[in-house]
Amino acid sequence: MNEHITAAPGAAANAAPADSGWRDELRATFTLAWPLVIAQLAATALTMTDVIMLGWLGPRYLAAGTLATTFLMPFLVGSTGIVGAVAPLVAQARGARDIKAVRRIVRQGCWAAIVLAVCLIPILWQIRPIFALLGQNAGLSIMAEQYIHVAVWMLFPALGLIAFRSLLSAFASTRIILLVTVGGVVCNALLNYALIFGNFGFPRLELRGAALATLLTNLLMFAALAAYVLRHRRFRRFHLLVRFWKPDWSRFAEIFRIGTPIGLTLLSEVGLFTAAALLMGQLGTDEVAAHAIALQCASMAFMVPLGLGTAATVRVGLAYGRNDPKGIHRAGWTAFALGTGFMALSCIVFLTLAPFIVRLFLDPSHAENANALALAASFLMVAGVFQLVDGAQVVAAHALRGLSDTKIPMVLAFIGYWALGLPVAYILGFTLNWRGIGIWTGLAAGLAFVALVLVIRFALRERIGLVSRAS
C-alpha cells in the first residue's frame, strides 16, 4: 500500500489540485519553470567561461579544448537523457502519492549515473587513438588528451547532479537548482582563472587546469544539491541513502527503458547541428563563423522553451500519476502556449534586429568581417522563422515524457532530423546552391516536421492509448 505524501508548506502553487483551472495551471507552470530557465542560461555560461579563458591562452589551446569537449559532449548528453528519466518517473510517483517509489527511483537513478560513468570512462580515455583514426592533428590530440584525462572524472558528479535535479524539479523546488547553478558559474570562473593561469598562488596548469576546474565545479554543485536533498525536511523523509546498495532491478530497468530513447533523441538533435556545422565548413570560413553566431543566438533563446519543457514533464507527470486527464490537458497546452509565445517574440526580434544583433559578435568596422556579418544576419533571420517550431517540438517532446512516452518520439525525431532535415539541407545548400541559407532552411524543415508530429501525438494521446491509466 502506498504511503501518503503530504504537501510541504508553501508548495500549493506548484501542486495545484486536480480541479484547478487554467489560471492556476499557468501560475504553477511559470513558478516551476522560471528558475529552470535561468539555470539553463547560467549553465551555458559555464561552457562560455571555459571558451573565453582558453582563448586567452591562444588558438591552439582553444582548438584542443574544443576538440576535447566536442568528443565528450555526445557521451554526456546521451547519459544525461537516460538519468533525466528520473524526473517524469518521480513526478508520476508524486502524483500517485507513492513515497516508496520516489526513494527507489532516485536511488536507481544514482545507480544508473554510476554505471554509465564506469562504462564511458574507458572509452573516453582512448581519445588519442580514436582521434588518430579520425585523422585529427597529432599535436592537438595530445593536448585534448590532457584535458580529457582529468575532465572524464566529472561524469560521476555531473550525472549524479542530474538525478538530484530531476527529484527537485519533480517537487517544484527549482530555486535551489538556480542558486547552485549560478554559484557553479562563479566557482568555475574563479577556478579557471586560478588553475589555468596560475593565479592566487596556484600552479599554472593550462588545459589540465580548465579540466580540473570543470571537475571541481561539478563536484561542488553535486555536493550542494546532495546536502540540500538529504538535510531539507521536505526531502529528508525519503531516506534516499537508506540501503543505497540494495538493488531494485525493475526500477533500474525502467530508468533505462524510459531514458535511453530520451538520450538518443538528444543525440540525434545534437548530431544534426554538428552535421550542419560540417556542411558549413565545406562552404568557407565566413559561413562557419556566421553559422556559429546564429546558432549561439538561437541556442540562448532555446533555453526558455527548454526550461518550460522540463516544467511540462513534471506537470504532466503529476497529473498522469493522479489519473487526471483534464490536468494532463491543461499542463501540456499551458506549457506549449508559454513556449511558443516566447519563441514568437524571439522570432520577431531576430527578424527585425538581426543585423544589429550579429554586430555584438564581430566588429563591423573591420572590412574583412563584412561578409560574415551579412551571412550571420541572413542565417539569424531564418533562425527566427524556425524559433516557433523549435519551441513547439521541445515542449511537446517533454510533455510526452511526462506520460513516459519516449520510444515513438525518438523514432519521429530520427526521421525528422536525419531522413528529412539533413537531406533537405544538403539539397538546398549544395544541389540548388542556396549555400548557408539552404542549410538553415533544412534545419527548419526537420524541426518543423518533428514539432508537427509530436504536437499531434500529444493531442491524440487518449485515442492512441498514452493515458489509458488516467481514465
Side-chain angles (χ1 to χ4, degrees), residues 289-305:
H291 175 75
I293 292 170
L295 187 60
Q296 181 65 41
C297 295
S299 297
M300 293 295 287
F302 180 73
M303 294 300 107
V304 175

Side-chain angles (χ1 to χ4, degrees), residues 437-454:
I437 290 291
I439 293 173
W440 273 82
T441 303
L443 296 177
L447 289 167
F449 172 83
V450 175
L452 179 63
V453 294
L454 293 186

Side-chain angles (χ1 to χ4, degrees), residues 108-331:
Q108 295 308 302
C110 293
W111 272 46
I114 294 169
V115 168
L116 286 166
V118 168
C119 292
L120 292 178
I121 285 173
I123 299 172
L124 291 163
W125 201 265
Q126 303 303 316
I127 180 173
R128 200 192 328 176
I130 292 173
F131 273 11
L133 290 174
L134 296 174
Q136 295 296 315
N137 179 275
L140 290 179
S141 297
I142 293 172
M143 295 172 70
E145 182 183 58
Q146 295 173 359
Y147 182 96
I148 285 292
H149 281 187
V150 177
V152 71
W153 301 105
M154 57 89 73
L155 286 173
F156 288 106
L159 296 178
L161 187 67
I162 296 300
F164 286 134
R165 278 187 55 155
S166 297
L167 168 67
L168 291 164
S169 296
F171 277 83
S173 295
T174 51
R175 295 190 183 187
I176 183 62
I177 297 174
L178 170 60
L179 291 173
V180 169
T181 306
V182 172
V185 173
V186 175
C187 177
N188 188 60
L190 290 173
L191 286 171
N192 268 328
Y193 187 69
L195 297 172
I196 292 176
F197 306 105
N199 292 311
F200 308 132
F202 287 89
R204 181 184 174 94
L205 299 177
E206 298 179 340
L207 273 170
R208 289 190 180 91
L212 184 57
T214 299
L215 169 60
L216 292 174
T217 298
N218 277 276
L219 278 171
L220 290 171
M221 291 170 67
F222 171 76
L225 281 192
Y228 182 86
V229 167
L230 295 175
R231 295 178 64 86
H232 194 281
R233 63 186 180 86
R234 191 180 185 194
F235 300 100
R236 191 170 55 222
R237 60 206 167 109
F238 294 122
H239 305 293
L240 295 176
L241 295 185
V242 172
R243 294 188 296 277
F244 182 82
W245 59 88
K246 183 179 179 182
D248 187 338
W249 297 118
S250 62
R251 296 288 184 188
F252 185 76
E254 189 176 24
I255 286 172
F256 277 88
R257 179 178 63 82
I258 301 298
T260 300
I262 296 174
L264 292 174
T265 301
L266 294 173
L267 281 176
S268 69
E269 187 171 0
V270 170
L272 174 67
F273 283 91
T274 300
L278 294 174
L279 290 178
M280 286 289 183
Q282 298 182 33
L283 296 176
T285 302
D286 286 344
E287 281 81 358
V288 173
H291 175 75
I293 292 170
L295 187 60
Q296 181 65 41
C297 295
S299 297
M300 293 295 287
F302 180 73
M303 294 300 107
V304 175
L306 182 59
L308 286 164
T310 303
T313 296
V314 172
R315 297 296 302 167
V316 169
L318 284 170
Y320 182 69
R322 65 174 181 255
N323 296 334
D324 179 10
K326 290 183 179 179
I328 292 171
H329 178 81
R330 282 194 293 264

